[in-house]
Amino acid sequence: MSFGSPWFTLPEFTYHKPKTLKEALELLDKYGEEAKVMAGGVGLLAFMKERLMAPSHVIDLKGVPELGQAIYKEGEGLTIGATVTLNELARYGPLKKFGALHDAVRDIADPIIRNRATLVGNLCEAIPWVDTPPALIALGAEVEIRSLKGERRVPVKDFIKGPVEIDLEPGELVTAVHVPEPRRNSRSRFIKYNTGSEFALVSVAANVVMDGGRVRDVSLVYGAVSSTPQVAVKAADALKSAEKPWEVLDEVGRIASEEVEAVSDVLASEEYRRHLIRVLTLRVLREVMG
Amino acid sequence: MAGKFVGKPIPPQDAFLKATGTAPYNYDIELPGMLYAKLVTSTVPHGRIKRINVEEALKVPGVVKVVTGKDIPYMVGMYAGDRDLLAIEKVRWVGHPVAAVIAESLEAAERAAELVDVEYEELPAVFDPLEAMKPGAPLIHEHMEKYRRLPVFKPVPGTNIANKFRVVRGDVETALKEADIVIEEEFHIKHVSHAFMETQNVIAHWHLDGTIEIWTSWQNPNPVRQIMAESFGIPYNKIIVKIPFVGGGFGGKAGLGWEALVAVLSREAGHRPVKLVLSRKEQFTSGACREGFHAFVKAGFKKDGRFIAYDVKYVLDAGGYADYTVNVGRAVAYSADGSYEIPNIRCEAYTVYTNKVPTTALRGFGYSESHWVLEQVIERAAKKLGMDSAEVRRINLIKPGVSITATGERLREDVGNPRKVLESILQEIGWGKPSEKPKEPWKIRAKGVALLVKGPAQPPKAPSSAAIKFNEDGTINLLVSTGNFGQGTVTALAQIVAEEFGVPLESVRVDWIRDTHSAPYSWQTVGSRGLFTDGIAVLNAVKDAKRQIFKVASEALRCPEEYLELVNGEVRVKGKPWMKIPLKDIVMGYSYPDGTSIGGPIIGRGVYMSVHTTNLDPETGQGHPTIFHTYGGTGVEIELDLLTGEIKVLKAVQAFDIGRVINPLLLKQQFHGGFIMGMSIALFEEIKFDERGWVLNPNFTSYYVARIKDVPPVVEKFVETPQADGPYGARGVGELTMIGVAPAIANAIFNAIGVKLNNLPMTPEEVWKAIKAQRPDLIEKAVKEYQKKMKEVKAVA
Ligand SMILES: Cc1cc2nc3c(=O)[nH]c(=O)nc-3n(C[C@H](O)[C@H](O)[C@H](O)COP(=O)(O)OP(=O)(O)OC[C@H]3O[C@@H](n4cnc5c(N)ncnc54)[C@H](O)[C@@H]3O)c2cc1C
């Protein structure tokens, strides 16, 4: 995927700023495939500038008050509305309970971008090297989707279908992301390896449930390695079945580095990515198990 | 001479406007009635243009005209003369401008540009310069013998070689046989971008009377005028080039730009002003960058450390046009010997066309490349000889007044003191003392050093001039055309004038705008020459103005000139300070009490002309290429993460013999800025191409540039060995401060773990690959160390 545009201007489009969710859904229903919703616009406008997207209708969600809240309920979890910015979320106290997401959100780009960009936008953009999807998947988050026809919920893991491809029909809108209450004795972290720019060459989120000296459950999710976030199942199994998990960390990293799909692109070769998966696995497990 | 202003840390005169965001850059300028141009660029790397359909584009409201190469079949250039304004019959790289849309608004121009439809007949393309040099390779410029080039350049018609240049001294073959050890290596450097903040942009107005007015973001106005006048056959005085504030140049705004194209567009659009601004992507794909580079070396040393033979072949990947890069191909060869005396040397440099983006000068051009190779060769040889590399450097260092360079130039006595440079770096970096052990055992720390020398790469005749014009109140307008794009040269020039006349610094003003009409001529602002050449011109202008002032004062004070002096802005009789006339009463002519007047408005003029520089022999490269040699070097202490291959510079030392410090603040800024740029190119920067020559990372999210968090503390060491013909003894230094960084870092790694890093940039992946290929055990050991450390942490917790 190329980034960088010869153009200074955007393609022509009509701008809408609905005031209610209903109005937004009606507009989406009316314009169908010709419409794109806009949250922060950080991704959308860049894509439009590059002519990778050319919607004739842009529906700005920032005027819809009910989409602008992050709410944590003890025992239920955290619900993040579609226009909550990354900085609003970073400042929201309860986010700390969700270690991996906390790490991911605070590490994105820079304060100026985070003032504008939203979590839901970051997720819906679905470019392979964005940071929040691996964290959301490791935490078992779900996407809340609405259209005039009704509502549905999809795990984030299934929501991202490919690069810049999500499980969303014309007329549908993501209203929020829901992250369930972390399990007892669990701990999650997110780490990315980047150099020269903010974009990760490889990222990893780990969510571990400890049980005495053993690992009862673990989720290992890798970002930026392939077109979609990769869940390492065999590596997780190896860690769970180990009597002395501290002894097998490199083994786990090796398994993960062989098991997941990894590609070569302009940022890194497949070979180097697989090596980084091994190294980052060590690092993230050190953080969550320590 | 410690002066009132010379030698003082005076902030650059343009800092205030820049810091407040109010400085007018070319990008900010708009002229009444201005139109906007947008380029349509090639989507194939090599092809014949079959058809350009502009009908749909012309229908877009606001479009004035669409111009194609056939309409304006000019060839332009500074050195090789090999560039068309818009592709005439064929395209030579992806991004080659094919057509330009002119419209009333940028929106209309862009919309229409998307609708221009070009059909190509693709031709076989070649992307690797080593392939392109082979007989039978697809020809990129079939008729290069017809180009209007500078005669010193030697293309090889019927091939893709845009220039071939040789430097030969002594007998390298025999010396290699006599050597006790021979180092044989290949080195490679990827293409890099100048990454200036302000992309190239031009406004041109071809007036009805034939006057061409140009506003451009460029380093110096005179080359722009020269290229246009020579290409169009127009008298020089009909072309007025104006340059306001410039957002960075780094050599990328020195040679051929877009001015000639935009001027023609203005003419084609009914003589209205036209503006062209490159987007960042266009800058990467249609503008010119630094060439790709390959070197193949054999270096022979004696057991005692003497460097006796150096045989090197350079191949430069110039891309679709080689206009300035043919000169890079000269500089890289005549700088091959660096700071050392190597009695037997043979270098051949080939500047080769490929179907990739065109290339040009970049800060320190040629010298960065030759030193990347040479300084590593020294390090490798030292290890093979079992010697301290500092000692090998000492043994081979040039001796002022005695040594002969690769081009056969005997170095002047006051050329500088490279020995002192080397020792000050070694001392500051703590050479010989092992680095502190990092807390993380999977990391290592190491030290490395590289020396360097550079002079301005220029033709033998490259003069400068300056004028000093007084105003009614005694304040001074200093007129120069040397550019001001961040170096601060004009502040230093103003310091010199204030010093010489004893007036406050605020009394001397250099205008923001450089222009070809009212400012005296200066050949180019390149090669770290500005303060040296234009400084001498300014000093001569001061002398000339003073002569005129003393003549009038002598009459007015009725006192022979030799008894007069200029102190604090007044002409006084020596020993009788009460007998005086303030400058303001002289500089517009002196009036006696009865009103009769003598003299007149004072204008001082001064020139600089290069001394003793010559053409280089076409067969052997022998001669005197540069007006000074500034010696310097860089020392670094680095930390390498063996797990990721990431290098972090912990500390840097920069030492240069600049002859005389005119402004220590500006000098420090060059030392720091150059270090950062050098480190960025060493560790991060690389333009990546796919197999069809498309640039894959034409933007700053995937073309990496160092960030502020990557920057270590930089220690500056000023060495001052004045050069008799420099202004106050000063030499140039601007570009040099980046040249030693990359080899110093590579040498540090080689010293510590014996891993050779022959390819730039040394990105984490590149370094990891090198370690994996040469010392895989180190990576496995690092992983073990990491696990061990984790368990220790766990045990404590
Ligand atoms: C300089 C820079 C650095 C960056 N660095 C990082 C980084 O380090 N890590 C990282 O992860 N990202 C990074 N990004 C990407 C950035 O974080 C995302 O572009 C941003 O989070 C997108 O959020 P947004 O609110 O602006 O989304 P928008 O641009 O508004 O939308 C993005 C996409 O999602 C769709 N969309 C948005 N909201 C909804 C919704 N509610 N329902 C359905 N579809 C929707 C839009 O139609 C669009 O296609 C960087 C971007 C820039 C420019």
Side-chain angles (χ1 to χ4, degrees):
Chain A
M1 193 183 307
S2 130
F3 277 90
S5 172
W7 315 111
F8 287 98
T9 61
L10 294 173
E12 255 172 288
F13 62 90
T14 310
Y15 174 78
H16 306 270
K17 193 166 183 184
K19 293 210 168 53
T20 63
L21 183 56
K22 184 162 167 282
E23 203 187 322
L25 293 175
E26 280 165 3
L27 284 167
L28 269 175
D29 191 63
K30 182 166 168 200
Y31 297 116
E33 290 194 346
E34 301 198 334
K36 275 272 168 201
V37 297
M38 177 168 102
V42 175
L44 181 68
L45 298 182
F47 273 64
M48 286 170 67
K49 209 165 139 184
E50 286 189 44
R51 308 295 190 261
L52 297 171
M53 287 179 182
S56 7
H57 296 271
V58 170
I59 301 168
D60 185 349
L61 299 180
K62 287 195 292 291
V64 180
E66 56 259 60
L67 297 176
Q69 286 177 14
I71 300 165
Y72 170 71
K73 286 198 188 125
E74 181 115 33
E76 283 178 28
L78 176 63
T79 303
I80 305 153
T83 61
V84 175
T85 66
L86 295 169
N87 267 348
E88 283 166 356
L89 191 58
R91 284 195 297 265
Y92 185 56
L95 184 69
K96 288 211 184 64
K97 290 184 182 263
F98 306 83
L101 189 59
H102 188 246
D103 292 339
V105 165
R106 286 159 48 106
D107 231 14
I108 288 174
D110 54 55
I112 299 169
I113 300 259
R114 291 197 298 269
N115 268 340
R116 186 107 200 137
T118 64
L119 175 89
V120 172
N122 191 265
L123 170 63
C124 291
E125 187 168 303
I127 53 175
W129 45 86
V130 290
D131 291 329
T132 64
L136 290 170
I137 294 171
L139 291 165
E142 288 184 330
V143 182
E144 295 180 10
I145 298 168
R146 288 272 298 265
S147 70
L148 283 186
K149 293 187 201 84
E151 197 177 326
R152 62 188 178 104
R153 277 185 163 223
V154 185
V156 170
K157 184 165 144 323
D158 303 327
F159 179 70
I160 300 174
K161 287 165 52 177
V164 203
E165 200 190 329
I166 49 179
D167 176 11
L168 203 72
E169 295 296 321
E172 283 188 326
L173 174 73
V174 174
T175 48
V177 168
H178 178 74
V179 195
E181 180 75 21
R183 288 159 67 183
R184 275 193 51 197
N185 294 329
S186 76
R187 199 158 157 190
S188 71
R189 293 303 300 263
F190 168 88
I191 291 178
K192 71 172 162 183
Y193 183 71
N194 61 308
T195 167
S197 107
E198 300 82 359
F199 284 107
L201 304 185
V202 171
S203 65
V204 57
N207 187 8
V208 166
V209 184
M210 295 300 287
D211 183 3
R214 289 194 55 167
V215 171
R216 175 162 354 141
D217 203 1
V218 60
S219 169
L220 286 167
V221 188
Y222 297 86
V225 291
S226 178
S227 52
T228 56
Q230 297 287 307
V231 181
V233 181
K234 287 185 203 158
D237 286 345
L239 190 59
K240 279 188 282 189
S241 59
E243 304 233 344
K244 290 185 180 162
W246 283 96
E247 304 285 333
V248 299
L249 299 186
D250 186 39
E251 185 60 25
V252 173
R254 277 171 190 276
I255 295 172
S257 76
E258 283 161 19
E259 163 185 10
V260 303
E261 214 178 279
V263 297
S264 292
D265 64 17
V266 62
L267 300 184
S269 71
E270 177 191 338
E271 198 195 0
Y272 185 53
R273 282 210 161 90
R274 292 200 186 276
H275 172 72
L276 285 177
I277 291 173
R278 180 182 165 200
V279 170
L280 288 200
T281 306
L282 273 177
R283 286 192 182 162
V284 79
L285 290 176
R286 172 185 175 179
E287 298 284 335
V288 285
M289 289 167 57
Chain B
M1 187 204 74
K4 201 167 162 197
F5 301 113
V6 167
K8 294 287 154 61
I10 289 161
Q13 290 192 329
D14 54 5
F16 183 75
L17 287 186
K18 285 183 176 174
T20 52
T22 56
Y25 290 85
N26 204 61
Y27 182 85
D28 303 314
I29 290 171
E30 291 182 353
L31 299 184
M34 192 173 86
L35 299 168
Y36 296 82
K38 187 73 189 178
L39 300 175
V40 178
T41 62
S42 168
T43 51
V44 301
H46 198 194
R48 228 160 267 297
I49 300 171
K50 277 169 68 182
R51 200 175 48 84
I52 304 179
N53 188 346
V54 301
E55 260 165 52
E56 289 302 309
L58 286 172
K59 286 185 200 153
V60 174
V63 169
V64 174
K65 192 153 188 181
V66 182
V67 179
T68 67
K70 270 208 308 260
D71 310 330
I72 50 169
Y74 301 99
M75 293 302 287
V76 294
M78 175 179 276
Y79 290 142
D82 57 3
R83 177 146 199 180
D84 44 29
L85 297 180
L86 294 169
I88 295 171
E89 272 168 7
K90 63 177 217 169
V91 291
R92 295 183 169 90
W93 81 95
V94 173
H96 191 166
V98 174
V101 176
I102 311 163
E104 298 284 346
S105 69
L106 185 59
E107 284 78 6
E110 295 208 328
R111 210 131 292 154
E114 282 187 86
L115 298 173
V116 174
D117 181 30
V118 188
E119 216 178 289
Y120 303 97
E121 174 198 329
E122 276 215 54
L123 298 170
V126 59
F127 303 105
D128 176 350
L130 302 171
E131 290 299 319
M133 280 173 78
K134 290 185 183 157
L139 280 191
I140 297 171
H141 289 261
E142 291 88 345
H143 302 295
M144 56 171 108
E145 67 283 356
K146 292 196 187 141
Y147 296 156
R148 198 167 28 74
R149 61 170 197 278
L150 234 63
V152 298
F153 297 104
K154 305 275 177 242
V156 186
T159 74
N160 286 313
I161 299 168
N163 187 45
K164 181 183 169 185
F165 180 66
R166 271 158 65 89
V167 173
V168 183
R169 204 169 94 80
D171 176 358
V172 89
E173 305 270 352
T174 310
L176 277 172
K177 284 191 202 112
E178 287 166 0
D180 294 317
I181 65 153
V182 174
I183 301 288
E184 201 170 340
E185 289 286 351
E186 287 182 17
F187 296 87
H188 307 279
I189 304 178
K190 299 281 176 43
H191 290 70
V192 299
S193 167
H194 302 85
F196 30 63
M197 282 193 282
E198 185 188 20
T199 56
Q200 294 172 346
N201 66 98
V202 178
I203 304 171
H205 191 177
W206 194 311
H207 290 272
L208 277 170
D209 70 351
T211 307
I212 304 177
E213 179 189 354
I214 300 284
W215 289 85
T216 183
S217 177
W218 216 246
Q219 292 180 199
N220 178 316
N222 293 299
V224 173
R225 181 177 68 169
Q226 179 202 343
I227 288 169
M228 291 179 60
E230 298 292 337
S231 304
F232 297 153
I234 289 177
Y236 278 61
N237 69 347
K238 283 261 184 189
I239 302 168
I240 320 291
V241 180
K242 302 182 194 196
I243 300 178
F245 280 81
V246 180
F250 308 111
K253 296 176 180 171
L256 174 64
W258 302 95
E259 297 82 7
L261 168 64
V262 186
V264 175
L265 295 183
S266 165
R267 187 189 68 194
E268 296 290 309
H271 298 275
R272 286 173 66 181
V274 173
K275 186 173 194 176
L276 173 72
V277 181
L278 295 199
S279 73
R280 183 61 63 184
K281 180 172 187 172
E282 289 171 317
Q283 186 68 60
F284 269 102
T285 56
S286 301
C289 59
R290 186 170 88 179
E291 87 287 344
F293 176 79
H294 307 274
F296 306 87
V297 305
K298 273 188 214 152
F301 291 76
K302 293 300 266 183
K303 266 201 213 90
D304 59 7
R306 273 178 304 132
F307 194 164
I308 57 161
Y310 196 33
D311 191 8
V312 42
K313 179 172 141 185
Y314 302 118
V315 177
L316 284 72
D317 179 353
Y321 291 111
D323 187 48
Y324 211 114
T325 311
V326 292
N327 202 29
V328 180
R330 280 163 65 85
V332 72
Y334 62 65
S335 63
D337 55 343
S339 313
Y340 311 105
E341 184 164 18
I342 309 171
N344 303 290
I345 192 160
R346 176 172 67 193
C347 5
E348 289 192 344
Y350 297 88
T351 303
V352 182
Y353 292 119
T354 59
N355 293 113
K356 301 220 285 275
V357 291
T359 57
T360 189
L362 186 145
R363 189 177 190 172
F365 70 76
Y367 290 76
S368 290
E369 295 90 322
S370 59
H371 283 88
W372 167 245
V373 177
L374 176 70
E375 286 299 313
Q376 291 203 71
V377 164
I378 297 269
E379 207 70 29
R380 309 275 169 88
K383 187 154 213 162
K384 209 160 176 180
L385 291 163
M387 291 175 75
D388 177 1
S389 60
E391 193 51 30
V392 176
R393 289 193 165 84
R394 281 187 200 107
I395 289 169
N396 292 293
L397 269 189
I398 62 97
K399 291 172 200 66
V402 178
S403 290
I404 314 281
T405 67
T407 68
E409 175 184 351
R410 179 164 171 178
L411 293 169
R412 50 188 298 149
E413 241 171 36
D414 56 1
V415 73
N417 192 339
R419 179 79 189 227
K420 202 164 162 190
V421 165
L422 174 62
E423 300 306 335
S424 69
I425 296 170
L426 296 175
Q427 195 198 11
E428 181 63 40
I429 203 80
W431 190 251
K433 274 180 263 159
S435 295
E436 218 177 280
K437 263 212 147 68
K439 278 194 228 60
E440 296 134 322
W442 54 92
K443 292 184 179 171
I444 56 154
R445 289 188 184 174
K447 296 171 186 177
V449 170
L451 291 182
L452 65 110
V453 61
K454 188 184 184 305
Q458 59 171 58
K461 178 182 155 196
S464 286
S465 54
I468 288 170
K469 197 176 98 180
F470 283 86
N471 300 309
E472 296 89 320
D473 59 355
T475 60
I476 295 169
N477 292 355
L478 173 59
L479 306 182
V480 290
S481 56
T482 193
N484 191 34
F485 39 98
Q487 333 87 305
T489 313
V490 297
T491 301
L493 296 178
Q495 282 171 252
I496 291 175
V497 174
E499 184 76 46
E500 292 291 328
F501 287 110
V503 297
L505 194 60
E506 301 74 55
S507 292
V508 184
R509 183 172 187 277
V510 183
D511 195 41
W512 307 325
I513 296 174
R514 296 286 164 285
D515 82 292
T516 51
H517 185 79
S518 52
Y521 177 84
S522 179
W523 167 72
Q524 282 190 25
T525 307
V526 294
S528 312
R529 75 195 287 274
L531 179 61
F532 187 90
T533 57
D534 295 65
I536 293 168
V538 165
L539 277 170
N540 285 333
V542 166
K543 230 186 266 169
D544 184 45
K546 277 187 181 170
R547 194 181 41 74
Q548 299 170 43
I549 290 165
F550 282 136
K551 186 156 176 272
V552 176
S554 161
E555 257 182 73
L557 290 165
R558 293 184 204 135
C559 172
E561 283 177 40
E562 65 255 45
Y563 302 131
L564 298 177
E565 60 183 355
L566 220 170
V567 182
N568 291 338
E570 295 171 336
V571 182
R572 297 178 185 168
V573 178
K574 286 179 190 164
K576 298 180 180 173
W578 55 91
M579 296 187 74
K580 61 181 181 184
I581 309 177
L583 270 179
K584 78 170 171 50
D585 292 343
I586 300 179
V587 294
M588 286 292 147
Y590 178 78
S591 298
Y592 290 100
D594 71 352
T596 53
S597 303
I598 56 168
I602 305 268
I603 300 178
R605 63 167 282 278
V607 304
Y608 166 80
M609 177 51 85
S610 359
V611 182
H612 291 158
T613 44
T614 67
N615 286 321
L616 302 182
D617 183 276
E619 290 308 313
T620 63
Q622 297 296 291
H624 291 199
T626 65
I627 48 179
F628 58 77
H629 304 266
T630 302
Y631 289 88
T634 302
V636 293
E637 181 168 15
I638 59 105
E639 187 172 87
L640 167 67
D641 185 336
L642 290 162
L643 291 175
T644 59
E646 184 167 326
I647 296 170
K648 200 167 169 44
V649 183
L650 302 175
K651 176 185 174 173
V653 192
Q654 295 262 56
F656 290 89
D657 190 342
I658 30 64
R660 167 60 52 90
V661 180
I662 306 282
N663 183 328
L665 177 66
L666 289 167
L667 190 58
K668 277 184 189 184
Q669 289 174 355
Q670 288 296 319
F671 278 39
H672 285 244
F675 178 80
I676 295 168
M677 186 166 181
M679 182 187 69
S680 188
I681 288 176
L683 301 181
F684 297 95
E685 300 189 35
E686 170 185 357
I687 297 178
K688 298 183 182 180
F689 298 91
D690 75 1
E691 66 287 351
R692 303 257 304 142
W694 287 75
V695 175
L696 291 170
N697 55 344
N699 61 80
F700 292 141
T701 48
S702 45
Y703 180 90
Y704 297 158
V705 178
R707 308 276 175 114
I708 199 70
K709 68 175 168 42
D710 305 311
V711 177
V714 177
V715 179
E716 319 91 11
K717 296 277 175 193
F718 303 156
V719 179
E720 297 186 77
T721 311
Q723 177 159 327
D725 62 0
Y728 296 93
R731 278 182 214 98
V733 76
E735 305 164 301
L736 287 77
T737 50
M738 66 170 268
I739 294 173
V741 183
I745 293 173
N747 285 345
I749 304 268
F750 181 72
N751 285 335
I753 55 174
V755 170
K756 300 178 194 173
L757 296 173
N758 290 12
N759 304 333
L760 266 187
M762 297 175 275
T763 59
E765 174 161 356
E766 184 66 36
V767 174
W768 170 75
K769 274 189 183 146
I771 301 173
K772 192 161 167 267
Q774 298 172 41
R775 292 287 311 273
D777 56 303
L778 289 174
I779 298 174
E780 292 313 313
K781 191 168 149 239
V783 171
K784 290 215 178 71
E785 295 281 3
Y786 192 90
Q787 287 207 76
K788 207 169 99 196
K789 189 88 180 176
M790 277 186 354
K791 271 191 256 171
E792 282 166 26
V793 173
K794 177 69 188 159
V796 172

